[in-house]
Structures are given as structure tokens and as C-alpha cells.
Amino acid sequence: MADFAEIDALLDQANAPPPETIHTANSEPSANTHFPNQQSHTDETYFGRLSSVWLTELNSPTLMPYHESLVSDINELMDYQQDLIDTKTDSGNKSMKGALEISLYQLELDRFRYLVVDYCRLRLKKIEEHVLHYMTNFQDRMSTSERKFADSYIKLIDAHYTESVLKHLPRYSDLEKLDAEGMVTVPDLNKYVFARVLNNNAEGLFAKEFVSDIVDVENATFWFGEILIARYQMLQGYVDRGEVELIG
């Protein structure tokens, strides 16, 4: 018969935060960090930050700055977690406790992996849709790998359009380059989005863009946790500064 007290204890252990000597809510692991093998090493702070970054990228009509440090640290955490799972699997422990422990570690790893993969997929989709726009104006928002991908993608579509269309047309100068005037598509910044206020200072968040003949100064001040809906273009500066996050 299953020892439910033992299972409850294991669940509590798996959900417990890692020791403060590794990393806390205000610190992050470096490349030299060594995680203990007694407990789950991941921190809810990382999952919360990754979720916020992913959600903002999902709902933003334009490409957001790449969070290289966060993604790198989480990849390191996932590598450690996978090594831990492999070690426990290879140990040959067939007990219920051992199987449950491996299952919990795998569940934790899968939720991180899903967000990282989908975050990168969303960014590549945006780059494909407006590759010339981003390569011309926003290379600083892209990772090294994304810039290489964008450069290769431009070469591919250039060769495709040349072979399938352009070489069969009269050689007008305005048709010979993909970045000719009027041929570069841009994101729709007038899209409506939902945003949550993250700024928690005593004065609140004053959004001067909302002040008009209809909305006065008082009603253009928002407080931590409040939800607002507006065109992305009006919120873009606040999103870039981390004062609001997009949630829909």
C-alpha cells in the first residue's frame, strides 16, 4: 500500500525553494553556479520572469528586445535539470518515490522548455514577417543567431523573387531591390492590446498620452496591477521601460 505521508513529504520537498546560497529572488545564477542535488534547483522567480517576457512578446505587434541573459541562465538551469533526471533514471530506482520524483523534475523541466521554445518561435515568426524592417532599424533587438537567420532569410527570398519574377520583367531600378521604397512591410502599431501596470511607486503611472479633452490628468494615472486597454503605439514606451506588461 502506498505511503501517502512519504509522497506528501516528497511533494513538499519538490516545491520548496532552493537554498539561498544558490540564488534568491534578487539574484541569478552565473556560468559558474553549481546547483545542489538535494532539491529542485529552479526558482519561481525565473519562471515568473520568463512568463512575463513570453506574454509580452506574444501580444506585442513588434519585436521586443531579446532577453539574452535570462534565456542563457534558464538554458543552464534546464541542462542541469536534464542531467539530474538522467542520473536518477539510470540509478535503477524503481520505487514509487523514485518514479514520482523523476516525474516532478520532468514536469518542471517541460514547462520551462515550452516557454523558451515558444518564445524563440514567436520571435522568428515576427522576423520572417518583417525581416527587412527589423534588419534595417532594429538589429539591436535581435540576438546574434536571429541576425544570422534574418540575413540568410533575406538572401533566400531575394533569390526566390529574382528567379520567379524579377528576371522576367524589364529591369526597372525600383524593382531590383527588396528594400525599395514601398516594399518594406512594418508591424501594425495601432493594434489594441491589454496591459497590466507594473510601476508601483507612490505617484502611480501617469500616462500623458491618454490625456485629452475627454480624459483628465487624474484618470490618466494608473496604479500597480491595474489593467488597461489601448493602442500599442500609445503604450510602447512604457512597455520598453518595463512599466507595464502586455497580457492580451
Side-chain angles (χ1 to χ4, degrees):
M1 186 173 181
D3 187 345
F4 292 105
E6 184 179 29
I7 293 177
D8 289 339
L10 180 58
L11 287 169
D12 291 339
Q13 180 186 25
N15 290 324
E20 292 185 359
T21 54
I22 300 304
H23 61 277
T24 65
N26 298 318
S27 65
E28 297 183 0
S30 66
N32 298 321
T33 300
H34 298 283
F35 299 103
N37 56 14
Q38 293 89 352
Q39 292 182 332
S40 171
H41 60 274
T42 53
D43 190 334
E44 284 301 315
T45 301
Y46 282 98
F47 190 76
R49 287 183 58 199
L50 179 60
S51 297
S52 179
V53 167
W54 168 76
L55 200 57
T56 296
E57 192 70 60
L58 175 66
N59 293 295
S60 170
T62 188
L63 189 70
M64 302 301 297
Y66 181 65
H67 291 261
E68 184 172 4
S69 176
L70 177 63
V71 173
S72 176
D73 286 342
I74 290 177
N75 280 332
E76 181 184 348
L77 290 170
M78 292 194 299
D79 288 341
Y80 171 83
Q81 188 86 332
Q82 187 61 62
D83 290 342
L84 185 62
I85 292 171
D86 293 341
T87 299
K88 291 183 176 295
T89 301
D90 295 340
S91 68
N93 186 351
K94 303 297 184 181
S95 67
M96 177 178 290
K97 176 180 177 180
L100 179 59
E101 187 177 27
I102 291 172
S103 178
L104 292 174
Y105 282 134
Q106 186 64 54
L107 181 64
E108 184 181 43
L109 175 61
D110 288 344
R111 66 175 186 159
F112 273 91
R113 181 175 289 149
Y114 170 81
L115 285 187
V116 170
V117 170
D118 199 58
Y119 172 66
C120 295
R121 182 189 65 80
L122 288 169
R123 293 180 59 82
L124 290 179
K125 181 181 178 182
K126 290 181 181 181
I127 292 171
E128 285 186 359
E129 289 177 345
H130 308 292
V131 62
L132 295 174
H133 171 69
Y134 292 128
M135 285 296 283
T136 303
N137 304 300
F138 296 102
Q139 287 197 38
D140 58 332
R141 294 192 168 204
M142 302 162 68
S143 67
T144 302
S145 298
E146 287 172 341
R147 286 192 292 271
K148 291 180 179 178
F149 168 80
D151 186 58
S152 298
Y153 187 72
I154 289 174
K155 292 177 181 178
L156 285 173
I157 59 175
D158 184 38
H160 170 68
Y161 289 145
T162 299
E163 287 297 317
S164 61
V165 179
L166 295 181
K167 76 174 186 179
H168 302 292
L169 298 176
R171 297 182 62 81
Y172 295 112
S173 59
D174 60 340
L175 293 176
E176 292 180 355
K177 292 185 177 180
L178 291 174
D179 58 354
E181 184 178 358
M183 296 184 67
V184 178
T185 60
V186 298
D188 179 15
L189 301 184
N190 286 319
K191 170 188 175 183
Y192 278 96
V193 294
F194 287 90
R196 178 189 293 118
V197 177
L198 299 179
N199 188 327
N200 61 353
N201 61 40
E203 294 79 24
L205 175 66
F206 172 60
K208 62 180 182 297
E209 288 83 357
F210 294 127
V211 177
S212 65
D213 295 336
I214 301 176
V215 180
D216 57 21
V217 172
E218 181 179 354
N219 289 325
T221 300
F222 302 93
W223 305 96
F224 178 79
E226 287 191 328
I227 308 297
L228 57 147
I229 179 172
R231 295 184 188 275
Y232 176 77
Q233 194 167 26
M234 299 178 69
L235 294 172
Q236 187 171 12
Y238 303 103
V239 175
D240 290 342
R241 292 191 296 271
E243 294 177 314
V244 303
E245 65 175 351
L246 301 182
I247 59 172

